Amino acid sequence: MTLPRSPIQPARRGRRQPVRPVAALAAVVLLGLSACGGNAAEPGAAAGHTRTVSHAMGETDVPADPQRVVVLDTVLLDASVALDVVPVGAALVEGTEGLPAYLGPDVAEVQSVGNIMEPSLESIGALEPDLILSAKSRHEDLYDELSGIAPTVFVEAPGGDWRGSVGIVGEALGQTDRARTVLEEYDERAGALRTEVEPQSLTAQVIRPRDGGAIRLYGPGTFTGDVLTDAGLTIPEQEWEDNGILEVSTEFSGELAADVVFVSGGEAEPELPAWVRESLDAGGSRIIEVDHASWIAGVGPLGAEVILEELAGHLAG
């Protein structure tokens, strides 16, 4: 299967790097010079100007061209980097010690502000941000405190309407046109893959092993499931929970097998339980291990690009 490569790439030269306080003036000059590289803010952005952004918690006046951004969830990190804005600080996925490798070297100097479940307000404040991005489903209780540090914009939830979240991030960063382009590029890439996959009528299952021998299934309403269905795969019907996920154990009486089963793997992930593997083998499933950081936690345009790229390779021929 030969598919056109998308122009979205995890590591793109010319991205704005985290701005140090001592270099703030120089950064303003450089940003002006970098307009030809696609990193310019929306027309009308100027020092001291603000824009009003509507988001999950109401409306917030944000800098027209924010320079020191802190992000507290995965879709916000992925989307910011995809929009050529590298945050100065980010909350890490719990149990990890750094940012996902799929984001490339651009994020090497991003400072940790704790983990997503328990971000450090002190660390956030120490970075002197001019914009904070987070999710209502994660940090609604911290909104007032975060707003006391810097203008704060919340998306509703990290995994559900990830495209909508990218749009809000683009608006907050003054990159609405770029956000629209990034999503269009994703749609084109998914569409190209779908023309190859749909005629095969392939079914797919996404499984994440959990402690204690349980597993988690990801439905069409999740980020991962959404990308797979956009690519032309069909996820077997289940009684999905409100978040599009289903937690099951050995008592599960539904169907686990599918033509292709993607299993979340990595150092922090448990092994696939024996009862699940037996069920998949009996159903003739092809089992493929995938990286949790990009396939499950990498909510956003760059994570989606990784999934599509790997799908093209796995399903070729």
Coordinates of all heavy atoms in Angstrom, one line a residue, residues 23-33 47 67:
A23 N 15.5 36.5 27.3 CA 15.6 36.6 25.9 C 14.2 37.1 25.3 O 14.0 36.9 24.1 CB 16.0 35.3 25.2
A24 N 13.4 37.6 26.1 CA 12.0 37.9 25.7 C 12.0 38.9 24.5 O 11.3 38.8 23.6 CB 11.2 38.5 26.8
L25 N 12.9 40.0 24.6 CA 12.9 41.0 23.6 C 13.4 40.4 22.3 O 12.8 40.7 21.2 CB 13.8 42.2 24.0 CG 13.9 43.3 23.0 CD1 12.5 43.9 22.7 CD2 14.8 44.4 23.5
A26 N 14.4 39.6 22.3 CA 15.0 39.0 21.1 C 13.9 38.1 20.5 O 13.8 38.0 19.3 CB 16.2 38.2 21.5
A27 N 13.2 37.4 21.4 CA 12.1 36.5 20.8 C 11.1 37.2 20.0 O 10.6 36.7 19.0 CB 11.5 35.7 22.0
V28 N 10.7 38.4 20.5 CA 9.7 39.2 19.7 C 10.2 39.5 18.3 O 9.5 39.4 17.4 CB 9.4 40.5 20.5 CG1 8.5 41.3 19.6 CG2 8.7 40.1 21.8
V29 N 11.5 39.9 18.2 CA 12.1 40.2 16.9 C 12.1 38.9 16.1 O 11.8 38.9 14.9 CB 13.5 40.7 17.1 CG1 14.2 41.0 15.7 CG2 13.5 42.0 17.9
L30 N 12.6 37.8 16.7 CA 12.7 36.6 15.9 C 11.3 36.1 15.4 O 11.2 35.6 14.3 CB 13.3 35.5 16.7 CG 14.8 35.7 17.0 CD1 15.3 34.6 18.0 CD2 15.6 35.6 15.7
L31 N 10.3 36.3 16.2 CA 9.0 35.8 15.8 C 8.5 36.6 14.6 O 7.9 36.1 13.7 CB 8.0 36.0 16.9 CG 8.1 34.9 18.0 CD1 7.2 35.3 19.2 CD2 7.6 33.6 17.5
G32 N 8.9 37.9 14.5 CA 8.5 38.7 13.4 C 9.2 38.2 12.1 O 8.6 38.2 11.1
L33 N 10.5 37.8 12.3 CA 11.3 37.4 11.1 C 10.8 36.0 10.7 O 11.1 35.6 9.5 CB 12.8 37.3 11.5 CG 13.4 38.7 11.8 CD1 14.8 38.5 12.2 CD2 13.4 39.6 10.5
A47 N 2.1 43.3 20.5 CA 2.4 43.3 21.9 C 1.4 44.1 22.7 O 1.1 45.2 22.3 CB 3.8 43.9 22.1
Q67 N 3.7 34.0 24.5 CA 5.1 33.6 24.4 C 5.5 32.5 25.4 O 6.3 31.7 25.1 CB 6.0 34.8 24.6 CG 5.8 35.9 23.6 CD 6.2 35.4 22.2 OE1 7.4 35.1 21.9 NE2 5.3 35.4 21.3

